[in-house]
Amino acid sequence: MNGSPGRLTFLGTGTSHGVPMIGCDCEVCRSNDPRDRRWRPSAYLELPDGKCVLIDTSPDLRIQAMTYGVSRVDAIRFTHCHADHVMGLDEVRRFNLLQGAAIPCYGNARTVEEIRRTFRYIFEATEVGGGIPRIHLFALGGAFCLGRQAILPVPVLHGGREVLGFRVGGVAYLTDCNQIPERSWPLLEGLDVLVLDALRHRPHPTHFTVAEALVVAERLRPARTLLTHICHDLPHAATCAALPPGVELAYDGLAIPLTPGP
């Protein structure tokens, strides 16, 4: 990616159930539109200096990596420690083998502690070899750099839990949220692209609805808004046709260029 602006690829734009859902016979779950097939939420950042960053390790990580050509991971950024965002962590051992190195992982203090507890076997292992992922956990206190790229954590609320979105240049990625705290709005000024949770039309206690996400987009006024963490209530084509200009549903495999921001 050297010489290019970098890009963000959506590896999964679905909910914790994915789409199609097990045992569901609805129109979207039976759809032939590939944009209606949604793996669990994750994204892949290819930075301008060639560094590659995974956002979350979904349970679908292996097939996501094989489908979208993910063969290198220099760092992992976790939004939070719910199962649909972390339960593919064991797949990281393949990247350890390919790269011959441990991988740094970043999240807020609660997420780091929960990963350490959930994947206790990683940190208590005494064996040497490819059977255990090798990672180093770091709790974030603010902006940090990967290579030459500054990355800004953006605290948002997922119900009563604070989780992290991330901003890279003019692109912000905010999944699994239903409220943006006042202190985080200034971190989102001057965006070119906003990626935002929009689960469905019906209210939910921990996720934005489509209407609520549109209110956020109207306040921030990015050039483009991409909605993610989408359940099977939202058919891609019909939903996009009803959205205002500049707003659309993301879909698995969509790649967008990074922009430098203000």
Side-chain angles (χ1 to χ4, degrees), residues 162-226:
E162 185 172 282
V163 304
L164 290 183
F166 296 96
R167 177 172 182 166
V168 180
V171 178
Y173 180 88
L174 310 179
T175 186
D176 284 55
C177 58
N178 68 323
Q179 185 178 342
I180 299 175
E182 282 304 316
R183 72 183 190 279
S184 292
W185 288 100
L187 305 178
L188 298 169
E189 293 177 354
L191 288 174
D192 297 307
V193 180
L194 171 66
V195 179
L196 186 63
D197 182 336
L199 180 72
R200 63 192 189 194
H201 292 298
R202 292 175 292 120
H204 191 278
T206 64
H207 295 276
F208 281 129
T209 64
V210 172
E212 290 166 340
L214 291 178
V215 171
V216 174
E218 178 63 24
R219 176 170 173 176
L220 292 175
R221 294 187 175 274
R224 187 181 188 188
T225 298
L226 293 164

Side-chain angles (χ1 to χ4, degrees), residues 25-194:
D25 195 39
C26 76
E27 179 181 355
V28 176
C29 286
R30 291 185 289 105
S31 171
N32 291 322
D33 186 339
R35 298 169 299 180
D36 285 329
R37 302 187 70 84
R38 301 163 183 149
W39 281 320
R40 268 71 68 90
S42 184
Y44 187 60
L45 271 171
E46 297 169 272
L47 300 176
D49 65 359
K51 297 289 186 184
C52 298
V53 184
L54 188 63
I55 303 177
D56 292 330
T57 56
S58 92
D60 301 315
L61 177 55
R62 178 178 178 274
I63 191 64
Q64 289 169 335
M66 295 176 67
T67 300
Y68 300 119
V70 176
S71 59
R72 182 172 187 86
V73 174
D74 294 296
I76 301 170
R77 296 180 299 160
F78 286 105
T79 58
H80 62 303
C81 193
H82 283 169
D84 53 329
H85 294 261
V86 302
M87 282 302 172
L89 183 56
D90 196 65
E91 304 294 351
V92 169
R93 59 199 173 105
R94 177 58 183 159
F95 299 108
N96 294 143
L97 289 171
L98 288 170
Q99 296 159 206
I103 296 175
C105 300
Y106 303 88
N108 64 21
R110 178 175 178 178
T111 296
V112 165
E113 176 55 34
E114 289 177 344
I115 289 174
R116 192 176 297 278
R117 184 170 64 247
T118 302
F119 297 93
R120 188 174 61 184
Y121 72 93
I122 294 175
F123 307 101
E124 295 180 351
T126 57
E127 67 180 85
V128 177
I132 302 294
R134 290 188 291 142
I135 63 173
H136 298 308
L137 290 173
F138 298 96
L140 292 172
F144 65 108
C145 286
L146 288 174
R148 297 190 296 271
Q149 180 67 57
I151 297 176
L152 182 65
V154 181
V156 293
L157 294 179
H158 183 28
R161 176 191 181 115
E162 185 172 282
V163 304
L164 290 183
F166 296 96
R167 177 172 182 166
V168 180
V171 178
Y173 180 88
L174 310 179
T175 186
D176 284 55
C177 58
N178 68 323
Q179 185 178 342
I180 299 175
E182 282 304 316
R183 72 183 190 279
S184 292
W185 288 100
L187 305 178
L188 298 169
E189 293 177 354
L191 288 174
D192 297 307
V193 180
L194 171 66

